[in-house]
């Protein structure tokens, strides 16, 4: 069942999302060659707690950290650690906040130093695919209109669209109904209504769409070892169209 949030609840979610937006800005400013992903994680956790929020991922199904730090061929769910970022890396930082009992969920990808033109293009197209998906988050559309728009754009640019991981509803739980795949035909699935809140999150691969999980049980990488990129925002459906809470 897709939960409809009241205006008051969406206001509470705005506060959660605002902390998350700031967290990712702060983390982004620290990203440079030589910094470890554990340091980024520590800064994120301290900032979230300083704002009266809680890191949503820490302990979620046993995940050990505040951020997921996914570098290069890592698609999502990379565990922060002693790895030092190097010039030319592409890192996705996925983070969630709980505040007022509500979750927010967002991902930003960043260039470490100078990245290749191919990596730059992948980042640009992934961000654009997210924007195109967000624009479909409108009352009266169907959920798969979001999916289709993302797939059509991303595959049109020659990228693989990850199939096994999806966007989702978000609210009092991190993952609520509906699932929002990044592929599929338009015009199917639930009708989008005012008060729904979604996390939209395309994951685009430079090569094949296939993925696999590493032995740590968390980190998901591209099966062919080529680059992957991820952007995500939490968005509320309003009378006036999509309101992106995490921007
Ligand atoms: Mg996320
Ligand atoms: Mg998510």
């Amino acid at each position: 069942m897709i939960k409809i949030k009241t205006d008051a609840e969406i206001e509470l979610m705005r506060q959660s999302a605002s902390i998350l937006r700031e967290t990712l800005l702060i983390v982004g400013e620290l990203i440079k060659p030589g910094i470890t992903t554990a340091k980024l994680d520590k800064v994120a956790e301290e900032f979230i707690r300083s704002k009266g929020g809680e890191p949503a991922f820490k302990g979620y199904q046993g995940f050990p950290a505040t951020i997921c730090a996914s570098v290069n061929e890592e698609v999502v769910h990379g565990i922060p650690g002693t790895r030092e970022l190097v010039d030319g890396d592409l890192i996705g930082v996925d983070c969630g906040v709980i505040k007022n009992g509500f979750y927010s969920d967002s991902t930003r990808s960043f260039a470490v130093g100078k990245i290749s033109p191919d990596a730059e293009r992948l980042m640009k197209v992934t961000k654009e695919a997210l924007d195109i998906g967000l624009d479909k988050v409108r009352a009266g559309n169907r959920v798969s209109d979001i999916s289709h728009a993302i797939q059509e754009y991303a595959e049109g640019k020659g990228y693989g669209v990850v199939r096994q991981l999806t966007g989702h509803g978000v609210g009092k739980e991190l993952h609520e109904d509906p699932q929002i795949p990044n592929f599929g035909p338009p015009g199917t699935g639930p009708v989008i209504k005012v008060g729904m809140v979604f996390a939209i999150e395309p994951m685009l691969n430079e090569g094949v769409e296939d993925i696999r999980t590493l032995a740590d049980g968390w980190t998901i990488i591209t099966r062919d070892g080529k680059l992957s990129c991820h952007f995500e925002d939490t968005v509320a459906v309003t009378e006036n169209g999509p309101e992106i809470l995490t921007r």
Side-chain angles (χ1 to χ4, degrees), residues 2 14 83 100 105 136 172 191 214 216 229 231 236 239:
I2 304 178
R14 263 186 211 109
R83 177 178 189 158
N100 311 315
D105 189 7
K136 297 290 181 189
K172 284 184 178 165
V191 175
L214 294 185
D216 64 18
C229 188
F231 279 92
E239 305 278 0

Side-chain angles (χ1 to χ4, degrees), residues 122-191:
L122 175 64
M123 255 178 87
K124 178 169 174 282
V125 171
T126 308
K127 177 78 179 347
E128 289 167 352
L130 171 59
D131 287 342
I132 285 165
L134 288 168
D135 191 57
K136 297 290 181 189
V137 183
R138 293 176 185 276
N141 281 354
R142 299 247 180 192
V143 163
S144 85
D145 293 333
I146 304 166
S147 312
H148 182 71
I150 290 170
Q151 179 185 18
E152 195 178 38
Y153 184 72
E155 291 185 349
K157 296 287 183 183
Y159 293 121
V161 177
V162 173
R163 299 295 202 263
Q164 294 94 326
L165 300 157
T166 69
H168 49 92
V170 57
K172 284 184 178 165
E173 293 173 74
L174 179 57
H175 296 114
E176 297 185 349
D177 287 341
Q179 282 199 353
I180 308 170
N182 295 302
F183 67 98
T188 67
V191 175

Side-chain angles (χ1 to χ4, degrees), residues 57 94 105-107 166-168 174-175 199 201 230 232:
F57 297 173
D94 191 350
D105 189 7
S106 181
T107 305
T166 69
H168 49 92
L174 179 57
H175 296 114
E201 48 179 321
H230 182 206
E232 175 180 25

Side-chain angles (χ1 to χ4, degrees), residues 224-236:
D224 61 10
K226 293 187 177 175
L227 285 181
S228 186
C229 188
H230 182 206
F231 279 92
E232 175 180 25
D233 277 301
T234 296
V235 56

